[in-house]
Amino acid sequence: MTAFYVLGGLLAAWALIVTALGVTRHDFPGSGGGERIVAGISVVLVAGAIGSGIITAASSEHGGEEHAEASEAAEAPEPAAGGPTLEADPSGALAFDTDTLEAQAGQVTITMDNPSSTPHNVALEGQGVDEEGEVVTEAESQVSAELQPGEYTFFCSVPGHRQGGMEGTLTVE
């Protein structure tokens, strides 16, 4: 339980006590010292609740960003050890450095390095598989799928790039 809830609860309880005493006793809180005590406790509880609310909100926002980053990192596929790799043409031309790849059956991750500023990705289709990696510039794109033995087509799914020659065959044994 956060300090905000504790201080908020104490403030609510204090407000009920002060209200009950004010309604039942016509001379509450008394003169001089009693007024200062009630006012002092009220100010401390209000300031504490507001301050802890601000701190709780700030730490929730920061923690939420870390959680989102961790979640995104968990969703990003990790390259399979020794998984097939290819590279987009460094000049930005619509070409991969190979038109054939090989892999073993099972979970397969193809990693495509794009060193150019032309956006590319790697996608995979065939035998019921239809997966696309993230479109990137000057970064890596990956596509992962559980593959059975057979032939699949890998390609860049950016409009026009496949038709321009960015495709090949992945043979899974």
Side-chain angles (χ1 to χ4, degrees), residues 43-67:
V43 166
V44 167
L45 288 173
V46 168
I50 291 171
S52 66
I54 291 169
I55 291 168
T56 300
S59 67
S60 293
E61 288 175 8
H62 186 268
E65 289 170 5
E66 288 175 353
H67 177 72

mmCIF file of all heavy atoms in Angstrom, residues 43-67:
data_model
loop_
_atom_site.group_PDB
_atom_site.id
_atom_site.type_symbol
_atom_site.label_atom_id
_atom_site.label_comp_id
_atom_site.label_asym_id
_atom_site.label_seq_id
_atom_site.Cartn_x
_atom_site.Cartn_y
_atom_site.Cartn_z
ATOM 1 N N VAL A 43 -3.292 20.613 8.196
ATOM 2 C CA VAL A 43 -2.331 21.049 7.190
ATOM 3 C C VAL A 43 -1.317 19.944 6.906
ATOM 4 O O VAL A 43 -0.977 19.661 5.740
ATOM 5 C CB VAL A 43 -1.627 22.355 7.633
ATOM 6 C CG1 VAL A 43 -0.400 22.648 6.796
ATOM 7 C CG2 VAL A 43 -2.600 23.515 7.581
ATOM 8 N N VAL A 44 -0.809 19.294 7.939
ATOM 9 C CA VAL A 44 0.175 18.224 7.749
ATOM 10 C C VAL A 44 -0.427 17.071 6.946
ATOM 11 O O VAL A 44 0.200 16.552 6.005
ATOM 12 C CB VAL A 44 0.713 17.727 9.113
ATOM 13 C CG1 VAL A 44 1.483 16.425 8.964
ATOM 14 C CG2 VAL A 44 1.577 18.790 9.764
ATOM 15 N N LEU A 45 -1.657 16.667 7.268
ATOM 16 C CA LEU A 45 -2.287 15.563 6.547
ATOM 17 C C LEU A 45 -2.588 15.923 5.092
ATOM 18 O O LEU A 45 -2.367 15.120 4.180
ATOM 19 C CB LEU A 45 -3.561 15.107 7.263
ATOM 20 C CG LEU A 45 -3.331 14.348 8.570
ATOM 21 C CD1 LEU A 45 -4.657 14.086 9.285
ATOM 22 C CD2 LEU A 45 -2.613 13.037 8.306
ATOM 23 N N VAL A 46 -3.088 17.141 4.842
ATOM 24 C CA VAL A 46 -3.370 17.567 3.464
ATOM 25 C C VAL A 46 -2.070 17.648 2.661
ATOM 26 O O VAL A 46 -1.977 17.139 1.539
ATOM 27 C CB VAL A 46 -4.126 18.920 3.447
ATOM 28 C CG1 VAL A 46 -4.160 19.506 2.051
ATOM 29 C CG2 VAL A 46 -5.539 18.745 3.980
ATOM 30 N N ALA A 47 -1.051 18.272 3.216
ATOM 31 C CA ALA A 47 0.228 18.400 2.518
ATOM 32 C C ALA A 47 0.848 17.023 2.259
ATOM 33 O O ALA A 47 1.381 16.759 1.174
ATOM 34 C CB ALA A 47 1.197 19.269 3.316
ATOM 35 N N GLY A 48 0.762 16.140 3.237
ATOM 36 C CA GLY A 48 1.303 14.785 3.059
ATOM 37 C C GLY A 48 0.566 14.015 1.977
ATOM 38 O O GLY A 48 1.187 13.339 1.156
ATOM 39 N N ALA A 49 -0.771 14.113 1.967
ATOM 40 C CA ALA A 49 -1.552 13.406 0.948
ATOM 41 C C ALA A 49 -1.243 13.948 -0.443
ATOM 42 O O ALA A 49 -1.047 13.186 -1.397
ATOM 43 C CB ALA A 49 -3.041 13.510 1.256
ATOM 44 N N ILE A 50 -1.186 15.262 -0.580
ATOM 45 C CA ILE A 50 -0.879 15.860 -1.887
ATOM 46 C C ILE A 50 0.535 15.498 -2.327
ATOM 47 O O ILE A 50 0.758 15.076 -3.460
ATOM 48 C CB ILE A 50 -1.072 17.390 -1.844
ATOM 49 C CG1 ILE A 50 -2.559 17.723 -1.697
ATOM 50 C CG2 ILE A 50 -0.500 18.046 -3.100
ATOM 51 C CD1 ILE A 50 -2.849 19.190 -1.429
ATOM 52 N N GLY A 51 1.506 15.656 -1.431
ATOM 53 C CA GLY A 51 2.894 15.330 -1.779
ATOM 54 C C GLY A 51 3.083 13.869 -2.151
ATOM 55 O O GLY A 51 3.749 13.549 -3.139
ATOM 56 N N SER A 52 2.489 12.968 -1.380
ATOM 57 C CA SER A 52 2.643 11.546 -1.690
ATOM 58 C C SER A 52 1.904 11.184 -2.974
ATOM 59 O O SER A 52 2.339 10.304 -3.713
ATOM 60 C CB SER A 52 2.173 10.677 -0.523
ATOM 61 O OG SER A 52 0.779 10.826 -0.325
ATOM 62 N N GLY A 53 0.804 11.884 -3.265
ATOM 63 C CA GLY A 53 0.104 11.665 -4.529
ATOM 64 C C GLY A 53 0.970 12.048 -5.710
ATOM 65 O O GLY A 53 1.032 11.339 -6.719
ATOM 66 N N ILE A 54 1.663 13.177 -5.596
ATOM 67 C CA ILE A 54 2.557 13.627 -6.668
ATOM 68 C C ILE A 54 3.711 12.642 -6.846
ATOM 69 O O ILE A 54 4.049 12.253 -7.966
ATOM 70 C CB ILE A 54 3.086 15.048 -6.375
ATOM 71 C CG1 ILE A 54 1.932 16.053 -6.485
ATOM 72 C CG2 ILE A 54 4.230 15.413 -7.303
ATOM 73 C CD1 ILE A 54 2.259 17.435 -5.964
ATOM 74 N N ILE A 55 4.299 12.206 -5.745
ATOM 75 C CA ILE A 55 5.422 11.264 -5.813
ATOM 76 C C ILE A 55 4.962 9.925 -6.386
ATOM 77 O O ILE A 55 5.632 9.334 -7.234
ATOM 78 C CB ILE A 55 6.061 11.079 -4.422
ATOM 79 C CG1 ILE A 55 6.769 12.374 -4.013
ATOM 80 C CG2 ILE A 55 7.022 9.896 -4.410
ATOM 81 C CD1 ILE A 55 7.198 12.425 -2.563
ATOM 82 N N THR A 56 3.788 9.441 -5.952
ATOM 83 C CA THR A 56 3.257 8.179 -6.456
ATOM 84 C C THR A 56 2.988 8.263 -7.947
ATOM 85 O O THR A 56 3.328 7.358 -8.701
ATOM 86 C CB THR A 56 1.970 7.787 -5.703
ATOM 87 O OG1 THR A 56 2.279 7.644 -4.316
ATOM 88 C CG2 THR A 56 1.382 6.493 -6.237
ATOM 89 N N ALA A 57 2.396 9.379 -8.398
ATOM 90 C CA ALA A 57 2.109 9.548 -9.826
ATOM 91 C C ALA A 57 3.399 9.593 -10.635
ATOM 92 O O ALA A 57 3.499 8.983 -11.701
ATOM 93 C CB ALA A 57 1.289 10.815 -10.060
ATOM 94 N N ALA A 58 4.393 10.304 -10.138
ATOM 95 C CA ALA A 58 5.660 10.408 -10.863
ATOM 96 C C ALA A 58 6.349 9.049 -10.951
ATOM 97 O O ALA A 58 6.867 8.677 -12.002
ATOM 98 C CB ALA A 58 6.578 11.417 -10.187
ATOM 99 N N SER A 59 6.350 8.288 -9.880
ATOM 100 C CA SER A 59 7.006 6.981 -9.918
ATOM 101 C C SER A 59 6.199 5.988 -10.747
ATOM 102 O O SER A 59 6.770 5.120 -11.391
ATOM 103 C CB SER A 59 7.241 6.444 -8.513
ATOM 104 O OG SER A 59 6.025 6.145 -7.871
ATOM 105 N N SER A 60 4.868 6.129 -10.802
ATOM 106 C CA SER A 60 4.049 5.260 -11.646
ATOM 107 C C SER A 60 4.330 5.522 -13.107
ATOM 108 O O SER A 60 4.419 4.603 -13.913
ATOM 109 C CB SER A 60 2.560 5.474 -11.373
ATOM 110 O OG SER A 60 2.227 5.032 -10.093
ATOM 111 N N GLU A 61 4.474 6.795 -13.495
ATOM 112 C CA GLU A 61 4.783 7.124 -14.882
ATOM 113 C C GLU A 61 6.138 6.559 -15.263
ATOM 114 O O GLU A 61 6.307 5.970 -16.317
ATOM 115 C CB GLU A 61 4.776 8.637 -15.098
ATOM 116 C CG GLU A 61 3.391 9.239 -15.079
ATOM 117 C CD GLU A 61 3.418 10.756 -15.174
ATOM 118 O OE1 GLU A 61 4.498 11.338 -15.411
ATOM 119 O OE2 GLU A 61 2.353 11.353 -15.008
ATOM 120 N N HIS A 62 7.132 6.712 -14.406
ATOM 121 C CA HIS A 62 8.475 6.209 -14.709
ATOM 122 C C HIS A 62 8.467 4.691 -14.760
ATOM 123 O O HIS A 62 9.032 4.093 -15.670
ATOM 124 C CB HIS A 62 9.470 6.702 -13.656
ATOM 125 C CG HIS A 62 10.881 6.347 -13.977
ATOM 126 N ND1 HIS A 62 11.454 5.191 -13.510
ATOM 127 C CD2 HIS A 62 11.807 6.972 -14.731
ATOM 128 C CE1 HIS A 62 12.690 5.120 -13.950
ATOM 129 N NE2 HIS A 62 12.928 6.186 -14.701
ATOM 130 N N GLY A 63 7.809 4.062 -13.821
ATOM 131 C CA GLY A 63 7.720 2.606 -13.801
ATOM 132 C C GLY A 63 6.954 2.081 -14.992
ATOM 133 O O GLY A 63 7.261 1.037 -15.544
ATOM 134 N N GLY A 64 5.926 2.812 -15.447
ATOM 135 C CA GLY A 64 5.164 2.412 -16.619
ATOM 136 C C GLY A 64 6.015 2.416 -17.861
ATOM 137 O O GLY A 64 5.898 1.551 -18.718
ATOM 138 N N GLU A 65 6.907 3.405 -17.995
ATOM 139 C CA GLU A 65 7.793 3.463 -19.152
ATOM 140 C C GLU A 65 8.744 2.273 -19.137
ATOM 141 O O GLU A 65 8.975 1.645 -20.167
ATOM 142 C CB GLU A 65 8.602 4.765 -19.143
ATOM 143 C CG GLU A 65 7.772 5.997 -19.440
ATOM 144 C CD GLU A 65 8.544 7.288 -19.194
ATOM 145 O OE1 GLU A 65 9.748 7.232 -18.888
ATOM 146 O OE2 GLU A 65 7.914 8.353 -19.302
ATOM 147 N N GLU A 66 9.284 1.959 -17.956
ATOM 148 C CA GLU A 66 10.178 0.820 -17.873
ATOM 149 C C GLU A 66 9.441 -0.463 -18.202
ATOM 150 O O GLU A 66 9.954 -1.332 -18.887
ATOM 151 C CB GLU A 66 10.793 0.720 -16.477
ATOM 152 C CG GLU A 66 11.823 1.800 -16.204
ATOM 153 C CD GLU A 66 12.328 1.752 -14.780
ATOM 154 O OE1 GLU A 66 11.785 0.977 -13.961
ATOM 155 O OE2 GLU A 66 13.265 2.492 -14.464
ATOM 156 N N HIS A 67 8.176 -0.579 -17.721
ATOM 157 C CA HIS A 67 7.392 -1.764 -18.004
ATOM 158 C C HIS A 67 7.118 -1.881 -19.499
ATOM 159 O O HIS A 67 7.227 -2.955 -20.070
ATOM 160 C CB HIS A 67 6.073 -1.736 -17.214
ATOM 161 C CG HIS A 67 5.183 -2.894 -17.524
ATOM 162 N ND1 HIS A 67 5.468 -4.170 -17.092
ATOM 163 C CD2 HIS A 67 4.041 -2.983 -18.246
ATOM 164 C CE1 HIS A 67 4.535 -4.991 -17.523
ATOM 165 N NE2 HIS A 67 3.659 -4.294 -18.230
#
